[in-house]
Amino acid sequence: MTGASVSWTSPHAMAQVYKCTDAQEQVRYADAPCGAASTQDLLEGQRSADDIERERSAAAQAQERKYRQRALEQESRMQLGQAQQSQARAPLPADSPACKDARKELQFVSGIRTISQDEKCMRVNAAIAQVNAACGTNTPLMQEPDKVIIDHGGGGAPAQ
């Protein structure tokens, strides 16, 4: 074919399409048989109303699938964009007010000097756990010191 395309605008077009070539090799397309001076090729035969209806139905279904696919792709892009925006807007745990409060509490507890070492260790560990939870960190807890028992001269055997 020479690159020319034929399109119908009438919804009830059931005509045949002929390619007519005259003696000067000029080509024209027609919906009626060519004259005696031209050679003709039948490009598109006449179709029945059922054939046309099946073709239209298949085209409508294909177009519906295309629109659904585009809608899904657009929705996916929108969800991805919203997720990226929410990640960009979400404050880091270390910047949150809860994290700042927990760090302030840990600093306060660490500075207390009027309680026993065991009590201070317990409070500092609780404050560290609170900082870890609020800030998303993994700071190790303080280790309790080994307890040393000193026998002050009873002279007796150690207790078992």
Side-chain angles (χ1 to χ4, degrees):
M1 233 155 126
T2 61
S5 66
V6 178
S7 66
W8 288 277
T9 58
S10 170
H12 301 290
M14 296 193 306
Q16 297 172 330
V17 178
Y18 295 93
K19 177 181 175 184
C20 303
T21 308
D22 63 14
Q24 289 83 23
E25 296 295 320
Q26 290 183 331
V27 176
R28 69 179 179 87
Y29 296 91
D31 60 356
C34 304
S38 300
T39 60
Q40 73 181 18
D41 292 322
L42 180 62
L43 299 178
E44 180 77 29
Q46 187 168 359
R47 296 176 299 178
S48 69
D50 289 340
D51 289 342
I52 293 172
E53 187 57 38
R54 277 193 297 274
E55 190 174 297
R56 284 185 186 150
S57 176
Q61 290 173 359
Q63 192 164 11
E64 180 66 26
R65 283 191 304 270
K66 181 173 100 175
Y67 288 139
R68 276 193 228 133
Q69 182 65 30
R70 283 186 181 171
L72 288 173
E73 289 170 358
Q74 185 177 12
E75 183 178 335
S76 177
R77 283 191 302 269
M78 287 176 53
Q79 288 175 351
L80 179 62
Q82 288 172 350
Q84 289 172 344
Q85 285 177 352
S86 66
Q87 283 179 344
R89 282 187 259 135
L92 297 173
D95 296 336
S96 69
C99 179
K100 290 177 183 177
D101 290 345
R103 287 184 192 271
K104 190 185 287 186
E105 178 66 17
L106 175 60
Q107 188 175 15
F108 171 75
V109 169
S110 298
I112 296 177
R113 294 194 172 123
T114 58
I115 56 176
S116 71
Q117 196 64 21
D118 289 339
E119 178 74 14
K120 184 173 182 178
C121 181
M122 184 176 69
R123 287 185 181 197
V124 168
N125 279 342
I128 290 172
Q130 187 65 31
V131 167
N132 286 342
C135 301
T137 59
N138 195 18
T139 305
L141 300 178
M142 291 177 58
Q143 298 295 318
E144 291 187 30
D146 293 331
K147 299 205 184 242
V148 179
I149 300 175
I150 301 176
D151 185 13
H152 291 294
Q160 293 189 15

